[in-house]
């Protein structure tokens, strides 16, 4: 990773996308270690975590994780999912957080030198370009080490720096033998990006 010690950095974590990438690589993320790693590289100003929640999952197994993150250095950005029936009569749940992440990134860019986006979603390419036009460096964290890759090629090419999540496993991975009481193991989120291998359009939908 290439950071400068004096840079003001913020992390923007697409929760569902990061979860899917880590799961595909076969490890769980230790979110406290993640903050420590990036905080040691530069001046970490803020870490924002984005996820959508179904109303009935208000007190599900994902709730303890959200509460833990909220009390341990992360700014939580959540919203309710929306349920609809598609043309084939299948029940679908939509919970895209792209707009929230993009708006926050543009608003905070004035106070930052370097933005780190944890997502492989190709829809963020335009956001990265807009931030670069404002003189900001942008790194993208996802992975190429899956089949197919979890990061859209256009997003990886646009970023100033691409960081493969697989290369961070030893630094931010949770020890599988450790009983990690501070961060409960989370269930696959209700907006599961793995339903779209491209990660470029419908990563906010799941089929039920």
């Amino acid at each position: 990773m290439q950071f400068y010690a004096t840079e003001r950095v913020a992390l923007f974590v697409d929760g569902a996308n990061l979860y899917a990438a880590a799961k595909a690589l076969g490890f769980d993320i230790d979110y406290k270690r993640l903050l420590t790693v990036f905080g040691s590289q530069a001046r970490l100003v803020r870490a924002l975590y984005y996820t959508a929640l179904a109303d009935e999952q208000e007190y599900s197994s994902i709730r303890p994780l959200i509460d833990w993150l909220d009390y341990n250095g992360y700014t939580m950005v959540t919203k309710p999912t929306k349920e609809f029936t598609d043309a084939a009569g299948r029940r679908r749940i939509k919970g895209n957080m792209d707009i929230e992440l993009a708006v926050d990134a543009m608003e905070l860019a004035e106070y930052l030198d370097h933005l780190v986006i944890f997502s492989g979603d190709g829809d963020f390419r335009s956001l990265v370009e807009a931030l670069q036009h404002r003189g900001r460096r942008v790194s993208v964290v996802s992975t190429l080490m899956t089949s197919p890759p979890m990061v859209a090629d256009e997003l990886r090419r646009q970023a100033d720096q691409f960081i493969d999540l697989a290369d961070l496993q030893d630094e931010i991975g949770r020890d599988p033998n450790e009983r990690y009481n501070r961060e409960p193991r989370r269930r696959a989120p209700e907006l599961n990006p793995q339903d779209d291998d491209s990660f470029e359009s419908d990563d906010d939908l799941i089929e039920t």
Side-chain angles (χ1 to χ4, degrees):
M1 297 191 295
Q2 183 181 10
F3 289 85
Y4 302 107
T6 58
E7 280 187 319
R8 296 167 299 174
V9 174
L11 313 181
F12 298 81
V13 181
D14 180 343
N17 202 290
L18 178 61
Y19 171 84
K23 182 178 179 182
L25 290 170
F27 75 95
D28 293 323
I29 292 174
D30 184 324
Y31 290 95
K32 186 171 184 178
R33 292 180 69 190
L34 188 152
L35 285 186
T36 300
V37 167
F38 282 88
S40 68
Q41 299 289 321
R43 295 168 55 193
L44 184 59
V45 175
R46 192 168 298 277
L48 300 99
Y49 186 99
Y50 299 82
T51 189
L53 291 171
D55 290 339
E56 65 269 19
Q57 291 189 336
E58 182 70 18
Y59 299 102
S60 73
S61 61
I62 194 176
R63 176 56 59 180
L65 171 63
I66 291 173
D67 290 341
W68 186 91
L69 292 171
D70 201 22
Y71 281 102
N72 287 274
Y74 290 83
T75 299
M76 301 305 301
V77 183
T78 65
K79 72 176 181 182
T81 57
K82 295 181 180 180
E83 183 178 327
F84 66 98
T85 302
D86 66 14
R90 294 170 298 189
R91 178 173 169 263
R92 308 274 279 182
I93 297 173
K94 183 178 180 69
N96 193 304
M97 299 294 294
D98 291 4
I99 294 297
E100 287 79 5
L101 191 156
V103 169
D104 287 346
M106 292 300 293
E107 288 183 343
L108 289 172
E110 177 183 354
Y111 310 101
L112 302 170
D113 303 303
H114 193 157
L115 296 86
V116 183
I117 299 175
F118 289 76
S119 180
D121 192 334
D123 289 343
F124 287 126
R125 190 209 65 79
S126 296
L127 170 64
V128 173
E129 183 179 32
L131 292 167
Q132 291 168 335
H133 287 170
R134 298 183 68 172
R136 305 301 181 257
R137 296 180 66 216
V138 184
S139 291
V140 166
V141 181
S142 186
T143 186
L144 291 166
M145 301 301 175
T146 56
S147 183
M150 305 290 273
V151 61
D153 185 64
E154 63 268 26
L155 177 64
R156 180 172 63 89
R157 290 175 180 272
Q158 186 68 50
D160 294 291
Q161 175 179 211
F162 172 70
I163 303 169
D164 201 301
L165 188 64
D167 294 334
L168 297 178
Q169 181 171 349
D170 291 341
E171 296 181 82
I172 68 170
R174 189 201 313 173
D175 184 347
N177 297 316
E178 179 184 355
R179 185 71 178 178
Y180 194 48
N181 295 321
R182 293 169 299 174
E183 178 195 328
R185 180 180 295 274
R186 65 179 289 189
R187 184 182 307 164
E190 56 279 355
L191 56 162
N192 191 338
Q194 294 186 87
D195 290 324
D196 175 19
D197 290 336
S198 70
F199 278 79
E200 295 178 24
S201 56
D202 295 330
D203 60 336
D204 55 329
L205 300 177
I206 66 170
E207 185 177 314
T208 59

